Amino acid sequence: MEPTVVSLKNASLGYAGKPPKVLAEALHFEWKKGVCCGIIGQNGAGKSTLLRSITGLQPLLSGELFWGQQALHELSPDARAMKMSLVLTEKIPPSLLSVFELVALGRYPHTDWIGQLTDFDHEKVQEALIQTEILHLSERLFDTLSDGQKQQVLIARSLAQDTPVIVLDEPTTHLDLPHKLLVLKLLQKIAKEHQKTVIFSTHDVEWALDYCDELVVITPEKWQHDSTENCIKNNLLNGLFTDANIAFDKETRRFVIEVI
C-alpha cells in the first residue's frame, strides 16, 4: 500500500472569529503517493478553504494536519518547502524573468544561502521544462506567454521544486479547451509517472471525472473523499448542484439538464 503523504485527522475547517464560521467538522481525509485528486463543489462551498488548510496557509479550527508522519507545526519553513509546492491563482507581478529563470525559482529551497544553482539544479529545471513540454519556451519572457503557457510554466516550477506533493488552485481557470485538456493530462501524468500526489480544485467537474483517481465532493450536507468510481457509484455527485434541473447521469458520466 502506498504511504500517506497528507492527512487531516478530526479536523474542523473554517474561519476564526466570535463565533467562528465552521465549514466542515470531524474530517478524516488521507491522500496517498501517486494519486491525482480533484476537489469539486459549487462556488463558495469551501474548495479554496480546504486547499489553504492542507497547505498550512490557513490554520485549522481544530484537529490535526500531517505531512507524511509529521504534524505540520513541527516542520520549519524550509522543511515545508521540501515537502509541498503550490500553484495558486494569484497573478505573478510583471517582470523580466525568462521561462527558465522562473522555473529555476523552484530550486531555491534546495540551494545554499546565496541561492547558487548547481549543475544538478540546472538538470532538474531542464527536466521540468521537458516534462511540461515547454523546453522550446525556455528563453521567452514569461510575460509574453499565453495564459495556458503560463500555467504550464508554473507547473514546471513546482516540478523543479521536486516535492512529493503538488497543490493547485483552479489550474484550468480562464484556459481554452485545448489548454484545459493539456493541463489535466499533465497533472495526471505527473501523478502516475512521477509518483507525485497532485491535489487541485476545479470547476471543470466532468473533466475531473476523466482525469482524477479520487475526488473530494463538497456539498452543503457533507464533505466526502473517495475514489472517482465510488463517488459515481454511490451517487455522491447528485447533490453537487442545488438546482433541481441539473442531474448526473452515471452511464455517460456527465451532467444533464432536465426540464421539469
Side-chain angles (χ1 to χ4, degrees):
M1 183 177 291
E2 296 291 353
T4 298
V5 293
V6 182
S7 58
L8 289 168
K9 298 185 183 300
N10 197 31
S12 293
L13 310 186
Y15 300 91
K18 295 183 179 180
K21 181 180 179 181
V22 180
L23 297 183
E25 296 181 285
L27 297 182
H28 295 273
F29 290 170
E30 291 187 349
W31 289 270
K32 296 188 179 296
K33 180 179 178 181
V35 164
C36 184
C37 177
I39 301 173
I40 59 176
Q42 294 193 84
N43 285 339
K47 299 188 297 297
S48 292
T49 299
L50 177 56
L51 282 185
R52 292 177 64 84
S53 297
I54 64 175
T55 56
L57 295 176
Q58 181 171 327
L60 305 180
L61 296 178
S62 63
E64 294 180 288
L65 168 62
F66 288 85
W67 288 6
Q69 300 302 312
Q70 288 183 285
L72 179 64
H73 65 82
E74 297 175 351
L75 297 171
S76 68
D78 287 344
R80 294 184 188 194
M82 300 288 280
K83 287 183 174 289
M84 185 177 291
S85 56
L86 310 179
V87 180
L88 302 177
T89 53
E90 286 82 357
K91 293 285 187 182
I92 292 181
S95 72
L96 295 178
L97 289 179
S98 69
V99 167
F100 185 93
E101 290 168 334
L102 197 146
V103 173
L105 291 176
R107 294 303 302 165
Y108 279 96
H110 303 269
T111 59
D112 58 24
W113 65 277
I114 59 173
Q116 185 70 40
L117 295 178
T118 65
D119 289 343
F120 180 75
D121 293 319
H122 280 273
E123 288 175 10
K124 282 292 185 180
V125 174
Q126 189 92 343
E127 287 175 11
L129 292 167
I130 292 171
Q131 290 163 10
T132 52
E133 302 179 8
I134 55 171
L135 181 62
H136 63 290
L137 300 175
S138 58
E139 300 304 319
R140 285 271 302 274
L141 293 180
F142 179 76
D143 287 349
T144 67
L145 304 181
S146 69
D147 286 341
Q149 290 170 330
K150 287 179 178 178
Q151 193 64 268
Q152 288 172 267
V153 173
L154 297 179
I155 294 172
R157 183 182 64 180
S158 69
L159 276 175
Q161 194 172 332
D162 199 19
T163 58
V165 183
I166 300 174
V167 176
L168 309 96
D169 188 13
E170 299 285 355
T172 57
T173 298
H174 307 309
L175 301 186
D176 57 22
L177 287 177
H179 280 98
K180 284 181 190 286
L181 178 62
L182 187 152
V183 167
L184 289 170
K185 282 184 173 180
L186 176 59
L187 297 180
Q188 184 187 57
K189 177 181 177 181
I190 290 169
K192 290 291 173 290
E193 295 185 10
H194 303 282
Q195 286 297 288
K196 308 286 189 183
T197 301
V198 177
I199 306 170
F200 68 96
S201 61
T202 183
H203 284 101
D204 295 310
V205 177
E206 293 177 344
W207 292 58
L209 298 178
D210 294 335
Y211 290 97
C212 293
D213 308 296
E214 300 176 355
L215 298 172
V216 175
V217 182
I218 300 177
T219 67
E221 290 76 30
K222 197 170 184 180
W223 295 33
Q224 298 176 85
H225 178 204
D226 209 336
S227 69
T228 300
E229 296 308 315
N230 281 344
C231 288
I232 294 171
K233 182 176 71 176
N234 296 329
N235 301 314
L236 300 189
L237 299 172
N238 292 348
L240 193 63
F241 299 105
T242 54
D243 190 328
N245 294 313
I246 301 176
F248 183 72
D249 185 327
K250 287 199 285 188
E251 296 300 318
T252 62
R253 299 165 67 98
R254 293 293 182 262
F255 287 91
V256 295
I257 306 298
E258 295 183 339
V259 179
I260 299 177

